[in-house]
Amino acid sequence: MQKINNKLNLLRELMAQRSIQAYLVPHSDAHDSEYTSDSDERLAFISGFDGSAGIGLITNTIAYLWTDSRYYLQATKQLEHGWELQKLEPGVPTWVEHAKANLKGQAIGYDPLLISHQLKKTRGASLEDVEFKAINENLIDLIWTNKPQDSLSEVIIHELEYHQYPTTKKISQIFENLKQKQAKSILISKLDQIAWVLNLRGNDIKFNPLFKSYLYLKDDNTGTLFINPTKINQQVKQYLTENNIEIKSIQDVFNEKFINTAVTPAEINHRLIQQVEDPIVLNACPIELLKAIKNEREIQGFKESHIRDGAALVHYLGWLEKQLLDGEVLDEFQAATKLAQYRFKQSRNMGLSFDSISSSGANAAIVHYHPTENNKSIINPNHIYLIDSGGQYLDGTTDVTRTYHFTQPTVEERNAYTRVLLGNLDIERLKWPQKSKIHGGDMDVLARRWLWEANLDYGHGTGHGVGYFLNVHEGPHGISKYRTEVFQPGMIVSNEPGYYEEGKFGIRIENLILCVKVNNQFLGFENLTYCPYDRNLINLDLLSPRDRNYIDQYHAVVRKTLLPLMEEQIAKDWLIKMTEPL
């Protein structure tokens, strides 16, 4: 019997009524967010695929999903009947190329709230003979029964004691940076930028302390926050008033006229830009760089929150190893839940910074795998275990990955682990002349060269920026061949090379590192993460005396810093064992 996908059939009926032959469903929201609220997970609803990157194109006969190498295995598992995976790699047509070849003279519909103005312009131009047609009601929403409601949780103030960076100062700096453009106002739609400028945090998107809104600022230090007003309590209302920010309903932004206002077309959705007359076009929003360079208080917060986070992680790992070696049967989801409990106990904790990637054996080869109550595996102590996790704290955001083997690893696993570790250390130990203006594209090869030597590699970037009690992923800097933002002191970046053997195991080692001044002329990195590497997986033959010494010094610091915070004997014993000299 042939399977029928009713959701696709209902969608195709709506497409026919609107005279379109295809419909585009990006993984996105009206604010160009990487991680979206449950009510914005339209691609997951229509396709079954819930990764954080992807785009769906539904035609009259077939539905296609395009995603990148991090998600191939996940998409293969999750895509529902009637869907076909298209890999984002050389030789495979992109959705635009596919449309040009197969939809000539036809129309593709899209929701202008979910496509940035820049994307509309570039894709629209390259589609040539295919009409790219804005449809103001979202067709997925029309067929989504039991669609989750938007969160109504209240916005909170991120108190000055945690960042020492008042909103008035931030607004002045934004306009200082816009002077050359002679912009007297700016319209902002990215949620982490809005939260950062206003020193407010919310709870609209899981793991990301954001609130859905738009922000209009003027160079006289006044502004308007467009938000659901029920989310603003008396205290926050008073705070906004003191900062000369008025509150209007979020829908009102589409009735306003903004004249000669600065906008970033890559970030602002195509629907909202219709409200801007004579826009001043920015290639990059100045907030991105201001937000990326942490001040002294934020750096102190990052350091302190990483110590508490390291204590939580070591308690968990000590507990996990003992359970497994005692023959307890544990699944990946139970383990992740236990780790979360250790984090929630830490002072100033505000939850997790993303879904924990608690993965055993072959699951560790799925880069963005995360176990759920209904999709999980038993942790096999004879296989590699990879845990990539993080916490949100009032004084920082953490993101750390460790890979362990609790019994006897294979030669292949030890060699791969050691090469990944050497790549990680080579990035961390790098020093460079500040005047050379070095960016992530210049250094990415250092993380890979040990792997390349053995004909191995990994398909993702090496590092991303991290927010301060904000998004775990932020720009504009990062470490990958595509990153061109020059490193400056105060920037924090993840350092996370890996290696993945499909169907067998995955390895990743991730620390957060801070760009610092080494002296008057040179910059370098300082490791902020406190958690032992796996001595059991290190092949000493691949290490130079300098490497061994460096790892020993790190382990000595980890032990000295975390030992006083160990509340359980098991954790204490595990920490001491794991930080012995190699």
Side-chain angles (χ1 to χ4, degrees):
M1 192 182 139
Q2 212 183 352
K3 274 184 161 179
I4 294 167
N5 188 326
N6 279 333
K7 291 184 290 195
L8 289 177
N9 288 347
L10 289 169
L11 179 61
R12 286 175 176 131
E13 284 172 27
L14 296 178
M15 285 159 50
Q17 289 165 19
R18 285 156 184 80
S19 310
I20 55 173
Q21 288 71 44
Y23 190 61
L24 197 68
V25 184
H27 180 277
S28 189
D29 62 9
H31 310 275
D32 190 37
S33 306
E34 177 187 10
Y35 296 102
T36 55
S37 67
D38 291 346
S39 54
D40 284 308
E41 286 288 344
R42 296 176 182 88
L43 186 58
F45 166 76
I46 194 71
S47 72
F49 168 72
D50 64 5
S52 70
I55 193 156
L57 182 68
I58 296 96
T59 68
N60 286 328
T61 51
I62 195 153
Y64 299 98
L65 170 82
W66 279 263
T67 189
D68 64 66
S69 65
R70 294 172 301 171
Y71 293 113
Y72 293 163
L73 295 175
Q74 183 180 337
T76 307
K77 272 188 180 178
Q78 291 182 331
L79 281 177
E80 292 170 5
H81 177 74
W83 282 85
E84 204 174 280
L85 172 63
Q86 299 291 315
K87 296 180 172 182
L88 276 176
E89 53 188 39
V92 180
T94 62
W95 74 264
V96 173
E97 289 161 349
H98 175 89
K100 272 174 26 183
N102 297 285
L103 297 170
K104 268 204 175 83
Q106 300 181 38
I108 299 176
Y110 70 95
D111 179 348
L113 279 175
L114 302 185
I115 298 273
S116 73
H117 178 59
Q118 184 164 305
L119 207 65
K120 158 70 178 89
K121 273 174 63 178
T122 57
R123 299 300 185 270
S126 43
L127 279 167
E128 294 166 5
D129 299 334
V130 183
E131 188 190 351
F132 202 31
K133 186 174 173 182
I135 295 175
N136 279 329
E137 54 194 338
N138 190 289
L139 301 190
I140 304 292
D141 291 355
L142 296 180
I143 60 171
W144 192 348
T145 44
N146 304 323
K147 182 178 192 278
Q149 296 297 305
D150 269 348
S151 154
L152 294 174
S153 62
E154 289 188 345
V155 169
I156 60 166
I157 297 168
H158 191 211
E159 299 292 353
L160 197 61
E161 64 175 292
Y162 296 116
H163 51 80
Q164 298 298 335
Y165 204 167
T167 286
T168 46
K169 184 178 172 185
K170 289 178 175 178
I171 296 174
S172 305
Q173 287 189 318
I174 292 166
F175 284 103
E176 188 59 41
N177 284 11
L178 287 173
K179 262 202 176 131
Q180 284 176 312
K181 292 276 188 184
Q182 297 178 318
K184 301 264 181 238
S185 61
I186 185 170
L187 182 59
I188 305 157
S189 64
K190 278 199 85 85
L191 302 181
D192 62 330
Q193 294 176 4
I194 296 170
W196 179 85
V197 173
L198 297 178
N199 292 320
L200 296 175
R201 298 293 186 266
N203 204 9
D204 286 7
I205 298 177
K206 217 174 165 192
F207 311 119
N208 299 262
L210 309 172
F211 47 94
K212 290 188 179 179
S213 53
Y214 299 97
L215 180 62
Y216 175 66
L217 295 174
K218 298 201 309 212
D219 69 348
D220 60 2
N221 255 3
T222 63
T224 306
L225 177 65
F226 297 90
I227 188 171
N228 180 337
T230 57
K231 288 153 79 156
I232 303 286
N233 63 28
Q234 220 27 64
Q235 184 199 8
V236 175
K237 197 175 186 172
Q238 172 72 32
Y239 165 82
L240 286 168
T241 304
E242 286 164 11
N243 282 285
N244 301 313
I245 305 288
E246 66 169 332
I247 300 161
K248 287 189 178 178
S249 169
I250 191 160
Q251 283 311 318
D252 287 352
V253 77
F254 299 106
N255 306 323
E256 297 272 336
K257 268 286 171 250
F258 304 98
I259 297 161
N260 229 207
T261 292
V263 291
T264 311
E267 295 173 355
I268 197 159
N269 68 61
H270 185 60
R271 171 70 191 82
L272 184 56
I273 206 154
Q274 311 305 319
Q275 308 308 120
V276 186
E277 280 179 23
D278 300 325
I280 294 171
V281 173
L282 306 176
N283 289 328
C285 178
I287 297 170
E288 283 294 283
L289 194 53
L290 290 170
K291 174 163 61 65
I293 298 172
K294 312 302 186 233
N295 67 19
E296 273 178 43
R297 176 63 187 94
E298 291 168 325
I299 290 168
Q300 180 199 338
F302 259 105
K303 289 180 176 179
E304 291 172 359
S305 59
H306 270 80
I307 292 171
R308 299 193 300 275
D309 196 70
L313 196 49
V314 166
H315 273 94
Y316 163 72
L317 289 163
W319 169 85
L320 178 67
E321 184 181 87
K322 177 148 177 36
Q323 296 286 308
L324 294 173
L325 297 184
D326 286 352
E328 291 292 327
V329 176
L330 277 177
D331 67 53
E332 299 159 328
F333 185 72
Q334 284 172 305
T337 306
K338 182 75 174 177
L339 172 55
Q341 287 163 1
Y342 279 119
R343 276 203 167 95
F344 297 158
K345 278 188 200 165
Q346 300 301 321
S347 67
R348 299 179 178 171
N349 179 270
M350 301 298 283
L352 304 181
S353 55
F354 56 96
D355 246 327
S356 295
I357 301 172
S358 165
S359 52
S360 176
N363 289 340
I366 305 171
V367 179
H368 277 208
Y369 171 84
H370 65 261
T372 62
E373 229 159 331
N374 308 318
N375 178 37
K376 62 199 176 186
S377 299
I378 298 297
I379 298 175
N380 183 339
N382 300 312
H383 291 170
I384 267 185
Y385 175 72
L386 183 156
I387 177 70
D388 182 349
S389 64
Q392 290 287 8
Y393 298 86
L394 288 168
D395 55 351
T397 298
T398 68
D399 182 1
V400 46
T401 309
R402 288 293 182 267
T403 306
Y404 297 100
H405 199 299
F406 301 112
T407 55
Q408 281 302 308
T410 64
V411 172
E412 182 192 13
E413 288 167 340
R414 293 181 71 218
N415 286 342
Y417 180 91
T418 309
R419 288 178 185 280
V420 169
L421 178 58
L422 285 168
N424 176 293
L425 297 180
D426 278 357
I427 293 280
E428 183 185 316
R429 295 182 289 198
L430 183 65
K431 289 197 302 194
W432 66 94
Q434 187 163 9
K435 67 175 194 306
S436 298
K437 295 191 162 39
I438 295 295
H439 54 65
D442 296 321
M443 54 179 76
D444 181 71
V445 60
L446 285 177
R448 299 174 193 269
R449 70 187 181 112
W450 291 98
L451 287 163
W452 287 358
E453 196 178 77
N455 303 313
L456 309 176
D457 195 15
Y458 53 96
H460 55 77
T462 301
H464 54 81
V466 180
Y468 184 70
F469 182 29
L470 259 183
N471 294 4
V472 74
H473 291 167
E474 67 169 31
H477 62 292
I479 303 175
S480 93
K481 64 179 179 183
Y482 306 110
R483 292 287 186 171
T484 55
E485 186 67 43
V486 171
F487 271 100
Q488 298 184 46
M491 285 180 167
I492 287 171
V493 69
S494 72
N495 174 16
E496 49 180 313
Y499 175 68
Y500 311 94
E501 187 73 52
E502 192 180 329
K504 287 170 117 181
F505 65 87
I507 292 162
R508 191 162 57 257
I509 301 170
E510 174 185 20
N511 300 317
L512 295 192
I513 52 179
L514 165 71
C515 181
V516 293
K517 264 178 138 40
V518 177
N519 56 36
N520 283 337
Q521 290 163 340
F522 275 72
L523 300 180
F525 288 120
E526 180 184 323
N527 188 355
L528 302 177
T529 301
Y530 294 88
C531 187
Y533 303 122
D534 190 5
R535 308 157 46 83
N536 192 24
L537 275 167
I538 294 175
N539 176 355
L540 293 176
D541 295 340
L542 287 174
L543 301 186
S544 69
R546 175 175 173 252
D547 298 326
R548 289 173 72 151
N549 189 32
Y550 192 84
I551 294 166
D552 285 343
Q553 281 178 330
Y554 173 69
H555 279 158
V557 171
V558 170
R559 180 190 287 194
K560 187 180 169 196
T561 308
L562 296 186
L563 206 52
L565 302 176
M566 294 299 106
E567 291 170 1
E568 296 169 13
Q569 192 59 43
I570 298 167
K572 214 173 254 186
D573 295 344
W574 186 84
L575 177 61
I576 288 169
K577 177 183 81 169
M578 296 300 280
T579 53
E580 287 293 321
L582 290 174

